[in-house]
Amino acid sequence: MYSPLVMEHFRNPRNVGELPDADGVGQVGNPVCGDVMKMMIKVAEDRIADIKFQTFGCGAAIATSSIATEMVKGKTLEEAMELSNKAVAEALGGLPATKMHCSNLAADGIHKAIEDYKSKRETKKA
Amino acid sequence: MQRLIYMDRAATTPVSPGVLEVMLPYFSQKYGNPSSVYSLAQEARQAIEAGRQTCAEVLGASPREVIFDSGGTESDNTAIKGAAFALQEQGKHIITSAIEHHAVLETCHYLEKFGFEVTYLPVDKHGLVKVEDGEKAITDKTTLITIMLANNEVGTIEPIAEIGQVVKQARKKLPNLVFHIDAVQGAGALDLNVDKLGVDMLSLAAHKFYGPKGMGLLYVRRGVPFISQQRGGSQERNRRAGTENVPGIVGMAEALRLAEEKRSAYVEHCSKLRDRLIRGIASIEQSFLTGHPVLRLANNASFCFKYVEGESILLSLDFEGVAASSGSACTSASLEASHVLTAMGIPEEVAHSSIRFTLGWDNTEEDVDYVLRILPGIVKRLRAMSPLAAEAKKNV
């Protein structure tokens, strides 16, 4: 059902936890559907200096969250905004078809966290 | 490699060695087509009829009332469509419950496309159908009532004999009213006597009681209006066409005989383990038992572990050598939470956290204790990752 890499990330998720002083937070998904992802980022010099996630969901949801955080850590915000859900799934060696829609939201979560950071920065400036 | 601890008996069971042994000659030695005249074929014919006799005895039925088929899904389809279409001149109303197996629910949905009206009886928080609800739902157009003997997800045992009494009363006005039960989860654990249960049709699947997959039976009481669904040759007295699965029939009959013979020992063995598991899991916080606390199958222990998703628990258990099951959407292709748990009033986000352990002969106290040792850590690890658990903590 799952690729070995999915299982590896599920067993040893990277960057799991909370960032209490996060600069941006993005939560996607819905508990009713069985998947919720929360992405938290620290931003320094327009780059993702640190990122943590919390995920309620199946193996695919946890593995995509984990690998997505690895893919954007240290990247510029612009580069991170270009990450797609599809690229995350591909990096894991693919996902079962039924998981592509509901459990593959990590990139969306990261984008939302970046947008949250930007809007907070705007508010501060104003 | 560590031993697999298999706790998913409600999904399927291994074929027991004794059952396999009696099946083997019917693959390559006694392979005749039972419909042929020569002696090779007659050996197969005799094996089928002996198997029919055995199954009939367990059901307290006559051998002529037993139809062999491919399993629980076919039996449910055949029973429901067979009776509904046979009686459609008299009415097109069917009564079932909200927590039936998909083999029943999807067949009812299919009949709705042909103008049948279906009442889906609600259940209480324990998954029990109320007999009065069934009684009230009967109209002068009702031709069929189909309710499961015991639920596959939560193990709740339905009041079939009581509903049977209601049906008996209702027959004073509706002489042809048919009562079918899906007894797939009950074999080996519950009494399947059709007269005590008061049922007209009953579905079984061999692979749920240590028999082979792809093999089932449908009991149809003599005189019950019924139109055969699978058309072709005259096998099974024109009620189910197709060359008989001779090794399957031989295997199912032996498996059913053994299941009935060892039923009380099985119930004692499993319920002891089940109660040990339930007691142990009660100490995991934010978890609860699903299904009825008392009226439940001896082998079923099912739970919800709030804030963690079922599939991720199953994967974690699998890493530790334990096979179990979940009503989470992520373990099915439907992407919806279990219809059984939601019908019992469990919110969808909690239904996603369900885990079902179904025990069998091969499970031991050590197995249960092993699960109780590893499960709290699995739930804790996943909760530490869960934003829902973090939110709940903040809201306390």
Side-chain angles (χ1 to χ4, degrees), chain B residues 184-203:
Chain B
V184 166
Q185 293 293 339
L190 300 173
D191 191 346
L192 297 180
N193 185 289
V194 291
D195 289 333
K196 285 189 205 159
L197 292 166
V199 299
D200 305 308
M201 290 181 163
L202 177 149
S203 303

Side-chain angles (χ1 to χ4, degrees), chain A residues 1-2 7 10-11 13 16 18 27 31-36 38 54-60 62 98-99 102-103, chain B residues 307-309 311-312 315-316 319 329-333 335 337 348-349 352 381-382 384-388 390-391 394:
Chain A
M1 181 167 127
Y2 286 132
M7 287 292 84
F10 174 73
R11 289 181 90 146
V16 66
E18 280 188 281
Q27 186 161 318
V32 170
C33 305
D35 285 294
V36 178
K38 186 177 179 184
Q54 285 184 318
T55 291
F56 161 80
C58 61
I62 290 170
T98 51
K99 304 285 184 183
C102 62
S103 312
Chain B
Y307 316 126
V308 279
E309 198 278 330
E311 189 203 88
S312 56
L315 291 171
S316 306
F319 295 147
C330 285
T331 58
S332 73
L335 303 181
E348 280 178 73
E349 63 267 30
H352 287 299
R381 180 183 102 91
L382 293 169
M385 270 191 238
S386 167
L388 304 184
E391 250 169 61
K394 277 175 200 157

Side-chain angles (χ1 to χ4, degrees), chain B residues 122-158:
Chain B
V123 293
D124 68 10
K125 63 177 181 177
H126 295 134
L128 271 182
V129 170
K130 278 201 199 82
V131 179
E132 312 88 84
D133 288 345
E135 196 169 8
K136 276 183 218 151
I138 299 173
T139 71
D140 56 358
K141 297 289 176 206
T142 309
T143 54
L144 172 68
I145 300 178
T146 173
I147 305 284
M148 64 196 344
L149 177 57
N151 183 266
N152 50 312
E153 287 187 34
V154 296
T156 300
I157 300 166
E158 299 301 337

Side-chain angles (χ1 to χ4, degrees), chain A residues 58-118:
Chain A
C58 61
I62 290 170
T64 50
S65 306
S66 166
I67 202 166
T69 59
E70 273 195 328
M71 290 167 88
V72 299
K73 199 167 175 179
K75 293 275 163 66
T76 65
L77 296 183
E78 201 178 332
E79 285 165 337
M81 284 304 284
E82 276 165 23
L83 180 74
S84 68
N85 291 334
K86 190 162 165 265
V88 172
E90 278 165 9
L92 283 168
L95 287 175
T98 51
K99 304 285 184 183
M100 284 302 283
H101 172 65
C102 62
S103 312
N104 187 20
L105 305 167
D108 295 348
I110 291 169
H111 299 165
K112 217 170 163 184
I114 293 171
E115 280 154 16
D116 180 53
Y117 159 73
K118 286 181 177 167

Side-chain angles (χ1 to χ4, degrees), chain B residues 370-390:
Chain B
Y370 176 75
V371 170
L372 292 174
R373 266 202 310 281
I374 61 166
L375 189 59
I378 290 171
V379 172
K380 196 175 163 196
R381 180 183 102 91
L382 293 169
R383 275 191 187 148
M385 270 191 238
S386 167
L388 304 184

